[in-house]
Amino acid sequence: MSDPSTGGQSASDELAYFPNAGSAQLALVRDPVKFSVRFGIERDALQPEAQDLLRNRATQVEQLAGQQLIVYTLSPAEAASAVQVLNRERSVEVAAPVLHRAGGGQDDIYVTSNFVVQFRPEVTRAQIDQLNSQHGVRVVEELGYAENGFLLAAPAGADGLGAIRMANTYRATGLTLFSHPDLISKKHRRRAATVAAPAGAGPSVQALRDAGYVSLQWHLQAANVVDAWSLTMGDPAIHVAILDDGTDTSHPEFAGKLGPQFDFSAHIPDATPKSDLENHGTACTGVAAAKGIRASGAAPECSLMLARFPEYLGSADEARMFQWAADNGADVISCSWGPPDGAGAAEPLPGATDAAIAYCLQKGRGGRGIPICWAAGNGNESVDKDGYSSNPNVIAVAASTNRERRAYYSDFGNAIWVCAPSSGAGSLGEKSILTTDRTGAKGYNDGSEGVDADYTNSFGGTSSAAPLVAGIIGLVLSANPGLTAQQVRGILKDTARKIGDGYDATGHSPDYGYGQVDAHAAVLAAQSQSQSSSSSASPPQSGRDLSVSGPAAVSRSGPPPVFTLDAGPGPQLFFAVEVATAAMLFDRAGHGAERTADTFYASWQDTGFLSGGQYSLPDQAWQRLRAADALYFRAWFSSSSQQWTDARATTSDPDFASAPAISITGQASADRELSVSGPAGVSRSGPPPVFTLDAGPGPQLFFAVEVATAAMLFDRAGHGAERTADTFYASWQDTGFLSGGQYSLPDQAWQRLSAADVLYYRAWFSSSSQQWTDALATTPDSDYAGAPSVAVGAAEQVAALHSVEHPQISGPAEVASDGPAPVFGFSLPAAMRSYRVEIAADAGLLDAAAAASRNALNFFASTTANARGTGQYRLPGAVWEQLRQNPDLYYRIAAASTPADAPDWVALDYSTPDAVAERAPRLAVTAPLGGHGTGRVLATGATNVTDPDELHWRQL
């Protein structure tokens, strides 16, 4: 790589920007030979000059897949002009020179077309829109973590640096709190180098198996964690969030502990490492919360929340990661990364990240705030130059050694809050940290460390100190979940044990902060605060008649329920409402770990305590919860809109069984196993085809059948106008929804359609015989290409179609995680009368021998349904909500010669038998269609109606 301090251009005004509201201007310089290209959604062919440039003259040196960037080099004489050539191409979103920090910074910095802005509160949307229009800027998205904040896209400009200039332009208006480009920069992990112990000095692997690994975890003793375990080992309801380069979630130390996870590179709910070099996060996760099979984390019974991000990350995604953690229920966050160590230059915190961290403090944990632990750094330099770990909203953690001295690498300064035991210099007898490593051959341990390969005995740095403190905070919050982030911070300060020297009159040392963390003392202090709160003067709601009420029943297809809150006479109280599909979920200690987005919702997940007399369940939560037969509810009342100190519930945790409930009426067709099947083929001269309908178990549903000579005719918006009497027939053209299990195509329709070689079909199911309110199709309009079909031909051709020897099933190659549930087509041998579909997160789980490893998150077997010949099966919506968290799904179909309701139903044949389960077809679950986060898209019969007769019928 070229040296930008000598070969780069000098900093100029256009290459300077303001990272946040209070920082000085930061200067950047161009790399003389490197430039990056991000292609847009347009896939037009490049012009000859651009083609020649990229194919014949430039050299591709790197590809950042997660950032959709390709990096090239060219001679200094050509690089600048190459960027201008590429920015004239329609298919190029932005081409720009690679940048570096002025003054000798070596890390590459990549420019995008975006910049991040938070406008002042008084600035109206009309003013913002006018400013955007004036400068040709468009809104990419609103910032969920910053009020009046936006991710904006600027014109790239000839040199690709338009986002930098536009960020400065917006800042100069005086209308913003911060305005900075969305630069992609390297995030450095903070694992210090360690000196290995002499060969043969450690115990043998066999000896470790005999004696146990916990004895090697000296840091747990040094931080008084083992003593703290006599008080609590953690609560599964408390989630420790690790934001790092991925965690090996298959490690036995993490089994049963995994909560939400997300990859901010691939944008999928999978935080596992994606390259052989991503080992850091697994080690950090183990320090915080490993179960203790061999190596224990500080909080072995707390749950985990995991985020993976790549080596290079944009500031917009970086900020979004913290919002994700807060919105998904993180109780404490650990970060062991940041700017480069030892650079000596100030590294300001981006305004967007600063705002997202503040969001965690203000909105996280129902307004109580999320403590954020940050590794101070391993550069043996002032932490106060590091805008990340010196942020007053985080807890900067330094490293101490087993000799109770500052680790030689540990950063120091005013921002250090506490220190925690970690690695030191092996030559001085200072030990490293034993923790989890990636399983198998990957990871830090190459077999030379004297411990099993799934563990490493060489971890350390402030990278280990931060998650150790985060795990201890998990214990503190397990002992007293009502503590605020500031109270947790105060407990760490007040209970830290003084080691070393250099403390000032306030008890602070630049090397150790307020001392070395003491888990036992911290948990005792948390319990003491809880007890003092409960034994102090009666809170304002003491003796008040607190109540929450809701309707006796609501329709599943109607609006969400509205609750009435009443705190009785007296000073104002604020409230929060919790809703669950099972009352036991109100018992945090016993069942808190079983809460999911599909079974539990609390208003405090989105905001602080509320005021007023009524509360309506948000639409998004209602969409997830309404599949249940009943919703249980309770309310919390507090004298504060932000604090839980004196909060009291209308139904206490031990009394969960007495919680009131709302009955949900109406049929959830989206969550039923709906299918329609027909013969593989019919003779053109014979009777019309007969279709078999199956809605699965549950209250009665009604159906309508549609038949077409071309599958695209099911796409109403795209091809509905092409339907004619000779190409399309629907039962609803003649009558309302039907009942029963079979449907024969009317003779009149068969005479018109039988000239075709193939007939495609689908069915609609509804809970009403006259209304389309909750109607759902077995094949959505957008999936018309997957519709099942019946071959129409001569009698001998049809006979051949019925010679299928084994059940067959097919599905889409991939489905977006926020798209509709997948639909599968199948064919059954002539002797088979019923079937069952099985879907698993791993092909091995289809084998009956693996039944003990199956659960609702990794396996589903449909109820048996009747069918003959070919048919279609749609995965129920509620099941899709569970399974879509997996990156891949494998499937097969089982068939039997008995009816579906036979008491002794046994599968006679499988499309993929147990013995070759690994050959089962695979369906990839891809990133959300709508961008970040997940949602649910259901096909209904209520939109995009183009057929006049159909429109008239549906309006009846």
Side-chain angles (χ1 to χ4, degrees):
M1 184 178 79
S2 63
D3 183 352
S5 66
T6 58
Q9 300 179 15
S10 61
S12 62
D13 289 341
E14 69 177 358
L15 290 180
Y17 74 101
F18 294 88
N20 57 50
S23 68
Q25 205 172 31
L26 196 64
L28 303 170
V29 294
R30 295 178 175 88
D31 188 292
V33 300
K34 295 172 71 173
F35 63 93
S36 63
V37 180
R38 175 182 279 180
F39 290 94
I41 58 175
E42 298 285 349
R43 303 312 294 170
D44 294 353
L46 295 175
Q47 295 300 311
E49 182 181 11
Q51 283 190 17
D52 177 64
L53 190 157
L54 294 182
R55 294 179 182 178
N56 303 321
R57 291 152 52 198
T59 301
Q60 181 177 328
V61 294
E62 192 169 8
Q63 185 167 5
L64 304 181
Q67 309 299 337
Q68 301 173 333
L69 287 174
I70 303 176
V71 185
Y72 299 89
T73 60
L74 261 177
S75 68
E78 293 182 286
S81 60
V83 166
Q84 295 183 22
V85 168
L86 291 167
N87 279 322
R88 292 197 293 265
E89 296 291 324
R90 280 173 49 87
S91 61
V92 172
E93 179 183 314
V94 60
V98 172
L99 304 178
H100 305 277
R101 287 282 302 275
Q106 297 298 304
D107 282 353
D108 290 347
I109 298 173
Y110 302 103
V111 179
T112 71
S113 58
N114 297 335
F115 64 110
V116 194
V117 180
Q118 183 180 17
F119 292 94
R120 295 184 179 279
E122 65 271 16
V123 179
T124 66
R125 183 59 188 264
Q127 289 176 280
I128 296 170
D129 291 342
Q130 182 179 8
L131 186 65
N132 291 343
S133 177
Q134 177 184 345
H135 294 287
V137 168
R138 64 178 177 85
V139 173
V140 178
E141 67 182 30
E142 296 188 27
L143 305 183
Y145 53 84
E147 185 178 358
N148 227 15
F150 300 87
L151 179 64
L152 303 175
D159 60 0
L161 302 175
I164 297 178
R165 287 190 292 270
M166 199 60 71
N168 291 338
T169 297
Y170 274 49
R171 185 181 188 278
T173 64
L175 299 176
T176 68
L177 294 175
F178 65 80
S179 177
H180 63 80
D182 179 21
L183 299 178
I184 297 171
S185 59
K186 188 174 183 178
K187 309 303 172 186
H188 293 260
R189 271 66 184 184
R190 290 180 164 170
R191 180 196 183 212
T194 55
V195 180
S204 68
V205 172
Q206 183 60 45
L208 287 177
R209 290 196 179 106
D210 293 340
Y213 276 54
V214 174
S215 61
L216 285 183
Q217 295 190 280
W218 62 270
H219 62 287
L220 298 178
Q221 297 284 352
N224 280 340
V225 172
V226 176
D227 288 342
W229 289 344
S230 66
L231 304 173
T232 178
M233 296 186 75
D235 184 339
I238 300 298
H239 285 78
V240 180
I242 307 294
L243 314 185
D244 214 285
D245 66 1
T247 295
D248 184 349
T249 56
S250 67
H251 201 295
E253 296 283 8
F254 307 139
K257 296 171 62 68
L258 301 176
Q261 51 180 303
F262 199 79
D263 186 324
F264 282 84
S265 173
H267 297 108
I268 58 175
D270 170 20
T272 57
K274 303 302 188 295
S275 83
D276 290 348
L277 299 178
E278 294 177 344
N279 307 317
H280 190 263
T282 300
C284 291
T285 303
V287 171
K291 292 173 67 173
I293 297 173
R294 285 190 170 169
S296 181
E301 294 186 9
C302 284
S303 297
L304 287 166
M305 176 181 293
L306 304 171
R308 174 195 174 265
F309 61 90
E311 184 179 29
Y312 281 88
L313 186 68
S315 53
D317 271 342
E318 182 177 88
R320 197 178 288 117
M321 182 166 58
F322 285 93
Q323 182 194 352
W324 171 86
D327 290 349
N328 282 275
D331 292 288
V332 56
I333 296 172
S334 179
C335 299
S336 293
W337 48 272
D341 287 318
E347 188 73 32
L349 181 68
T353 305
D354 193 10
I357 290 174
Y359 176 87
C360 291
L361 269 292
Q362 296 162 6
K363 301 294 186 180
R365 299 177 59 240
R368 288 165 288 178
I370 303 171
I372 301 174
C373 297
W374 212 293
N378 303 335
N380 188 25
E381 60 189 344
S382 174
V383 69
D384 301 315
K385 293 182 178 181
D386 180 344
Y388 287 79
S389 49
S390 67
N391 181 349
N393 283 330
V394 309
I395 298 168
V397 183
S400 53
T401 72
N402 58 298
R403 299 170 66 215
E404 296 196 342
R405 306 299 297 175
R406 179 178 77 90
Y408 68 91
Y409 51 79
S410 184
D411 284 2
F412 49 83
N414 296 326
I416 300 296
W417 195 255
V418 292
C419 66
S422 189
S423 63
S427 60
L428 299 178
E430 293 174 342
K431 302 177 181 179
S432 297
I433 302 299
L434 174 71
T435 183
T436 48
D437 197 13
R438 291 178 66 180
T439 55
K442 297 177 181 177
Y444 293 126
N445 186 358
D446 61 1
S448 64
E449 296 187 11
V451 295
D452 280 357
D454 294 350
Y455 300 84
T456 177
N457 199 21
S458 64
F459 197 58
T462 54
S463 277
S464 182
L468 178 58
V469 174
I472 291 171
I473 291 175
L475 298 180
V476 167
L477 292 176
S478 297
N480 185 354
L483 293 170
T484 67
Q486 287 301 322
Q487 288 173 321
V488 170
R489 189 182 180 94
I491 285 175
L492 294 181
K493 171 187 173 182
D494 295 341
T495 60
R497 185 168 61 87
K498 297 293 189 285
I499 64 171
D501 50 27
Y503 295 89
D504 61 20
T506 67
H508 183 270
S509 160
D511 290 341
Y512 309 107
Y514 290 99
Q516 182 171 280
V517 66
D518 186 323
H520 185 253
V523 172
L524 280 175
Q527 291 179 332
S528 175
Q529 287 200 25
S530 177
Q531 291 165 1
S532 63
S533 296
S534 62
S535 61
S536 61
S538 297
Q541 67 267 42
S542 179
R544 299 269 286 272
D545 186 14
L546 310 177
S547 69
V548 58
S549 60
V554 291
S555 169
R556 184 172 279 111
S557 59
V562 176
F563 302 92
T564 300
L565 291 301
D566 193 331
Q572 181 180 16
L573 294 183
F574 301 88
F575 69 83
V577 173
E578 294 178 342
V579 181
T581 58
M584 66 182 182
L585 296 177
F586 294 142
D587 177 12
R588 291 167 293 174
H591 299 279
E594 301 167 30
R595 295 174 176 178
T596 69
D598 296 324
T599 62
F600 180 83
Y601 174 78
S603 62
W604 48 257
Q605 293 173 345
D606 297 326
T607 185
F609 279 89
L610 305 166
S611 60
Q614 286 194 321
Y615 174 77
S616 177
L617 188 66
D619 287 336
Q620 189 175 13
W622 174 233
Q623 294 298 323
R624 297 194 303 264
L625 299 176
R626 66 179 181 176
D629 294 327
L631 289 182
Y632 299 84
F633 59 93
R634 69 174 177 180
W636 290 88
F637 287 87
S638 172
S639 61
S640 167
S641 62
Q642 295 296 327
Q643 304 294 330
W644 287 74
T645 308
D646 61 2
R648 182 178 135 210
T650 53
T651 302
S652 66
D653 288 28
D655 295 332
F656 67 84
S658 64
I662 300 172
S663 175
I664 301 179
T665 62
Q667 312 313 321
S669 56
D671 295 323
R672 296 277 287 276
E673 300 173 50
L674 311 176
S675 70
V676 58
S677 62
V682 290
S683 170
R684 186 173 280 112
S685 59
V690 176
F691 302 95
T692 300
L693 292 300
D694 197 314
Q700 181 179 17
L701 294 183
F702 301 88
F703 69 84
V705 174
E706 295 177 342
V707 182
T709 59
M712 66 182 181
L713 296 177
F714 294 140
D715 177 13
R716 292 165 291 168
H719 300 279
E722 301 166 28
R723 295 174 177 177
T724 68
D726 295 326
T727 62
F728 180 85
Y729 174 78
S731 62
W732 47 257
Q733 292 174 344
D734 297 328
T735 184
F737 278 92
L738 304 166
S739 60
Q742 286 193 322
Y743 175 76
S744 176
L745 189 66
D747 288 336
Q748 190 176 8
W750 173 233
Q751 293 301 318
R752 295 196 305 266
L753 300 177
S754 61
D757 294 327
V758 179
L759 292 181
Y760 300 86
Y761 60 92
R762 70 175 177 181
W764 290 89
F765 287 86
S766 172
S767 61
S768 168
S769 63
Q770 295 297 325
Q771 301 294 328
W772 289 76
T773 307
D774 61 357
L776 186 70
T778 54
T779 301
D781 288 28
S782 58
D783 293 339
Y784 66 83
S789 61
V790 177
V792 182
E796 59 273 15
Q797 294 174 315
V798 172
L801 290 172
H802 288 282
S803 63
V804 177
E805 295 182 1
H806 302 288
Q808 299 174 3
I809 186 170
S810 62
E814 60 183 36
V815 175
S817 62
D818 65 344
V823 177
F824 303 91
F826 62 83
S827 298
L828 301 181
M832 300 300 177
R833 299 180 57 188
S834 57
Y835 71 94
R836 179 183 70 220
V837 174
E838 296 177 357
I839 301 172
D842 184 276
L845 292 172
L846 295 173
D847 186 346
S853 300
R854 296 170 178 172
N855 58 54
L857 298 178
N858 65 26
F859 182 83
F860 171 74
S862 72
T863 56
T864 55
N866 292 316
R868 301 299 292 267
T870 63
Q872 197 169 52
Y873 174 79
R874 180 190 183 91
L875 191 66
V879 176
W880 176 231
E881 291 284 351
Q882 298 271 28
L883 294 181
R884 67 180 181 179
Q885 307 302 320
N886 298 289
D888 298 297
L889 295 175
Y890 301 81
Y891 55 92
R892 69 176 181 179
I893 189 171
S897 58
T898 56
D901 57 359
D904 55 345
W905 194 93
V906 176
L908 294 182
D909 200 2
Y910 290 87
S911 57
T912 306
D914 286 6
V916 290
E918 69 278 3
R919 300 182 189 175
R922 169 180 168 271
L923 181 157
V925 182
T926 63
L929 290 170
H932 304 292
T934 58
R936 188 172 179 188
V937 181
L938 297 178
T940 68
T943 58
N944 297 331
V945 180
T946 55
D947 186 281
D949 292 335
E950 181 179 353
L951 177 63
H952 171 73
W953 192 91
R954 295 188 183 195
Q955 290 174 339
L956 295 179

